Amino acid sequence: MTTDVLGWDVGGANIKVARIDPRTAGAPAAIEQPFALWRDFNRLSSELTALAGRIDRAADVAPPAAMAITMTAELADCFATKREGVAFVVDAFARAFPRSMLWVFGIDGRFHSADEARHHPHDVAAANWMATAMLVARAHADALLIDVGSTTTDIVPIAGGRVVAAGRTDPARLRSGELVYTGGLRTPVCAIIRSVPLARGRSRVAAEHFAIAGDAYRWLGRIGDSDYTCETPDGRGRSAAAAGARLARMVCADSETIDANDITAIAAHVAHTQSRQIAHAIRQVLRRRDTVAPRVAVVAGAGAFLARTAAEAAGLTVRDLGSELGVAAARAAPAAAVARLLAEMIVLRP
Amino acid sequence: MTTDVLGWDVGGANIKVARIDPRTAGAPAAIEQPFALWRDFNRLSSELTALAGRIDRAADVAPPAAMAITMTAELADCFATKREGVAFVVDAFARAFPRSMLWVFGIDGRFHSADEARHHPHDVAAANWMATAMLVARAHADALLIDVGSTTTDIVPIAGGRVVAAGRTDPARLRSGELVYTGGLRTPVCAIIRSVPLARGRSRVAAEHFAIAGDAYRWLGRIGDSDYTCETPDGRGRSAAAAGARLARMVCADSETIDANDITAIAAHVAHTQSRQIAHAIRQVLRRRDTVAPRVAVVAGAGAFLARTAAEAAGLTVRDLGSELGVAAARAAPAAAVARLLAEMIVLRP
């Protein structure tokens, strides 16, 4: 058995895993892997095993000592309820790593046993934001964590070195503005904008899964092919040209009937609107802290560039978690965070 | 060979077919069949054959004499361009009915040969609204056709017995307000609303394909199981309870953590917002006609109930195409319309 701790963030469309060796203070290694759980749920257990092998070569010969788990996958619609979803994910870990200790992170900021998680699923559902925020709180006693992932955005206030979120569950956080269900990659364009200003007027957009946020940022050059880590809506390529063709379809056009300027107008409008929506939620969260509102934003996630734009629009000074934790770990921040939090709590004997 | 004319409206998610016997003046027979063309495109030809057999038993022994075709399927993202899409659909018809005459309806209100359609795809792409409007114009010289389908809404002004649309192509119609890409069934809830008022405040919604418009109308009792003719987002049932569970997921809740009142609030907000969006486009179209704006709306489509609400909100008197054409034909209005328009233009000799 190694002394490594693996941290996991299992989402409905992505799995993030980070590895920490508690005996050293090095930056965590991290991997982000697209995984369409709602479709491929039967493969979850074997996918976990494969990812453990990729991030921890020692896992090939010895099982990792401890697993720190957080998840949002329980919301995927292959599960009738979150109870079913949490149990399924925990069971998949138990099958994948029968000899490892499993610890499931909760919205109370503590680790729970697998059995506790199964019996109290709402205590561990969607707690990943709390892990990242607790990690950030150590270096930034007063700050706003803004983690823009591929799919969702977490905006978490930290004051006096403590996480002071108004909501803990997903539904409560959607109301408080601390969870905005919008991200830098997977968000359908039709969920961001209703219409778009074009040279010849204003056009409504198609309510279809023709294009996603990642297409706008790919077209605008904000991300490259390799950053576009999710499936494309039409199964075609990740090039700027392919992204542009998808954006054209949003106004029921195609590459024969639209020019590059119009595609740029669509992409820019998506970027602008999404940034505005996140900035709006940032202000909602800041308003509640009134006179003690933090002035510093710590940005993280695959959409950190979007977090930065929104934070600046809301008048905040921006710090990048990537420069503190390493770029890979900051993209997979909740996985790195649960790994570190667990590593500090336990003593492993190799 | 029979003398029947079959009219087809091939969409990206639905195929509608209507049958007319030109020798009689009876109401057209009509079938609406969900068909996920973007996924099952290789089965299109055999699906056409099967549908022809269902609507026209004579087609089992003798091929139908003439096919009137209109389509919106060319926009589906299995096709790189509309040119590719139009050619694919025309070829599928040619394979399915090698002995029938194929006529493709155009945005100029005329029929084109299969070869013309292949060479001038933009002349026949998304012309189905024109067919319905030309049919309606005969009985209503001054009116607004409002056809709310499963996926899209057509709002077409008719004046002096003529179709006086400001836009002809999909992109132009999205700008003019004559095409609103919203419908009574397939439209993702996240493309209709951004947030929803709940008892405990206002909640943002998930930008996922968790629930569709049909779930809201199913929960509210506006449609029954059998009207919910498309696939469900989660592959589960079409009952009100199953629809409610999908709506709950829009605010990241589940059936254990939300009550029926909150689900009703979500569904009602979807219905209200969608009706308001359609009414907004109706007013945009009416404004252009200024002093000669029609005062009568003719409503059609699977979402005719929604067309009626929006038309009344815009101050129009409502006529139901279903009471003139038969309910099935009014749901499949473009298919019935192209069949009738073609039947009148040609003389068939059995």
Side-chain angles (χ1 to χ4, degrees):
Chain A
M1 190 165 294
T2 75
T3 58
D4 283 353
V5 174
L6 295 199
W8 298 86
D9 181 16
V10 181
N14 271 285
I15 300 176
K16 297 165 187 159
V17 55
R19 176 173 52 78
I20 283 187
D21 179 345
R23 296 166 305 183
T24 71
I31 295 177
E32 191 185 346
Q33 175 67 37
F35 184 76
L37 183 103
W38 74 91
R39 191 183 56 208
D40 300 329
F41 51 90
N42 282 321
R43 293 203 301 104
L44 177 57
S45 187
S46 57
E47 183 74 15
L48 296 174
T49 311
L51 281 169
R54 272 175 59 198
I55 194 138
D56 187 1
R57 275 165 301 178
D60 293 343
V61 290
M67 299 284 177
I69 302 164
T70 184
M71 70 183 85
T72 54
E74 76 288 342
L75 186 64
D77 61 8
C78 52
F79 308 122
T81 60
K82 299 190 189 193
R83 184 177 300 278
E84 184 183 316
V86 168
F88 183 93
V89 172
V90 170
D91 290 348
F93 273 98
R95 266 199 314 281
F97 310 111
R99 295 171 55 204
S100 293
M101 290 177 285
L102 303 183
W103 292 104
V104 188
F105 191 73
I107 53 176
D108 58 357
R110 297 162 189 274
F111 286 98
H112 301 253
S113 72
D115 268 352
E116 279 173 356
R118 285 190 193 93
H119 287 110
H120 302 284
H122 298 287
D123 291 349
V124 300
N128 58 354
W129 58 274
M130 173 63 95
T132 312
M134 284 173 65
L135 189 67
V136 168
R138 297 174 176 194
H140 303 275
D142 296 281
L144 199 64
L145 163 65
I146 307 176
D147 183 346
V148 180
S150 66
T151 308
T152 57
T153 294
D154 294 310
I155 302 171
V156 190
I158 295 162
R162 287 175 45 244
V163 178
V164 290
R168 297 248 160 172
T169 64
D170 269 356
R173 299 176 65 238
L174 280 175
R175 287 195 298 274
S176 69
E178 290 163 349
L179 170 60
V180 187
Y181 210 113
T182 202
L185 273 183
R186 286 186 60 250
T187 309
V189 166
C190 66
I192 302 169
I193 59 170
R194 295 267 174 280
S195 65
V196 60
L198 292 180
R200 290 155 298 171
R202 191 165 191 97
S203 174
R204 287 173 174 77
V205 300
E208 296 275 8
H209 197 254
F210 283 154
I212 56 180
D215 290 315
Y217 299 116
R218 184 70 191 90
W219 176 263
L220 295 171
R222 299 297 303 266
I223 64 173
D225 275 28
S226 60
D227 302 313
Y228 194 132
T229 52
C230 63
E231 293 175 10
T232 61
D234 57 2
R236 296 178 206 277
R238 292 172 169 76
S239 67
R246 287 189 285 272
L247 292 168
R249 199 168 266 121
M250 290 307 303
V251 292
C252 296
D254 65 9
S255 52
E256 290 188 11
T257 54
I258 199 171
D259 64 24
N261 288 335
D262 281 348
I263 296 177
T264 300
I266 298 170
H269 190 58
V270 168
H272 174 74
T273 304
Q274 204 172 22
S275 168
R276 199 161 44 81
Q277 289 166 349
I278 295 172
H280 181 78
I282 291 173
R283 289 194 197 93
Q284 181 184 348
V285 173
L286 289 178
R287 260 199 310 278
R288 209 166 26 243
R289 308 297 308 166
D290 50 50
T291 53
V292 295
R295 304 314 308 158
V296 172
V298 178
V299 302
F305 65 93
L306 192 51
R308 173 179 290 274
T309 310
E312 287 172 350
L316 297 172
T317 303
V318 175
R319 300 276 176 272
D320 191 339
L321 189 62
S323 57
E324 302 176 8
L325 205 60
V327 172
R331 273 182 75 108
V338 288
R340 179 148 290 172
L341 293 172
L342 184 64
E344 291 175 0
M345 287 177 50
I346 59 178
V347 179
L348 297 170
R349 301 180 193 283
Chain B
M1 191 165 290
T2 75
T3 59
D4 284 354
V5 174
L6 296 198
W8 298 85
D9 181 16
V10 181
N14 271 285
I15 301 176
K16 298 166 186 159
V17 55
R19 176 173 51 81
I20 283 186
D21 179 346
R23 297 166 304 184
T24 70
I31 295 177
E32 191 185 345
Q33 175 67 38
F35 184 76
L37 183 102
W38 75 92
R39 191 182 58 208
D40 301 329
F41 52 91
N42 281 321
R43 292 203 301 105
L44 177 58
S45 187
S46 57
E47 184 74 14
L48 297 174
T49 311
L51 281 169
R54 272 174 60 197
I55 194 137
D56 187 1
R57 275 164 301 177
D60 293 342
V61 290
M67 299 285 176
I69 302 164
T70 184
M71 69 183 86
T72 54
E74 76 288 342
L75 187 64
D77 61 8
C78 53
F79 308 122
T81 61
K82 299 190 189 193
R83 184 177 300 276
E84 184 182 317
V86 167
F88 184 92
V89 172
V90 170
D91 291 348
F93 272 98
R95 267 199 312 282
F97 311 111
R99 294 170 56 204
S100 293
M101 290 177 286
L102 303 183
W103 292 102
V104 187
F105 191 72
I107 52 176
D108 58 357
R110 298 163 190 273
F111 286 97
H112 301 251
S113 72
D115 268 353
E116 279 172 356
R118 285 189 193 94
H119 287 110
H120 302 284
H122 299 287
D123 292 350
V124 299
N128 58 354
W129 59 275
M130 173 61 96
T132 312
M134 283 173 65
L135 189 68
V136 168
R138 298 174 175 191
H140 304 274
D142 296 281
L144 199 64
L145 163 66
I146 307 176
D147 184 345
V148 180
S150 65
T151 308
T152 57
T153 294
D154 293 309
I155 302 171
V156 190
I158 295 162
R162 287 174 46 243
V163 178
V164 289
R168 298 248 160 172
T169 64
D170 269 357
R173 299 176 65 237
L174 280 175
R175 287 195 299 275
S176 70
E178 290 162 349
L179 170 60
V180 187
Y181 210 112
T182 202
L185 273 182
R186 286 187 60 250
T187 309
V189 165
C190 65
I192 302 169
I193 59 170
R194 294 267 175 279
S195 64
V196 60
L198 292 180
R200 289 155 298 170
R202 192 167 190 97
S203 173
R204 287 173 174 78
V205 300
E208 296 275 7
H209 197 254
F210 283 154
I212 55 179
D215 290 316
Y217 299 115
R218 184 70 191 89
W219 176 263
L220 295 171
R222 299 297 303 267
I223 64 172
D225 275 28
S226 60
D227 302 313
Y228 195 132
T229 52
C230 64
E231 293 175 11
T232 61
D234 57 1
R236 296 176 205 277
R238 292 172 170 76
S239 67
R246 286 189 285 272
L247 292 168
R249 198 168 267 121
M250 291 305 304
V251 292
C252 295
D254 65 9
S255 52
E256 290 188 10
T257 54
I258 198 171
D259 64 24
N261 288 336
D262 281 347
I263 297 178
T264 301
I266 298 169
H269 190 59
V270 168
H272 174 75
T273 305
Q274 204 172 23
S275 168
R276 198 161 44 81
Q277 289 166 348
I278 295 172
H280 181 78
I282 292 173
R283 289 194 197 92
Q284 180 184 348
V285 172
L286 289 178
R287 260 200 309 279
R288 210 166 26 242
R289 308 297 308 165
D290 50 49
T291 54
V292 294
R295 304 313 308 158
V296 172
V298 178
V299 301
F305 65 92
L306 191 51
R308 172 180 290 275
T309 310
E312 287 172 350
L316 297 173
T317 303
V318 176
R319 299 275 176 273
D320 191 338
L321 189 62
S323 57
E324 302 176 8
L325 205 60
V327 172
R331 273 182 75 107
V338 287
R340 179 149 289 171
L341 293 172
L342 184 64
E344 291 174 1
M345 288 175 50
I346 59 178
V347 179
L348 297 171
R349 300 179 192 285

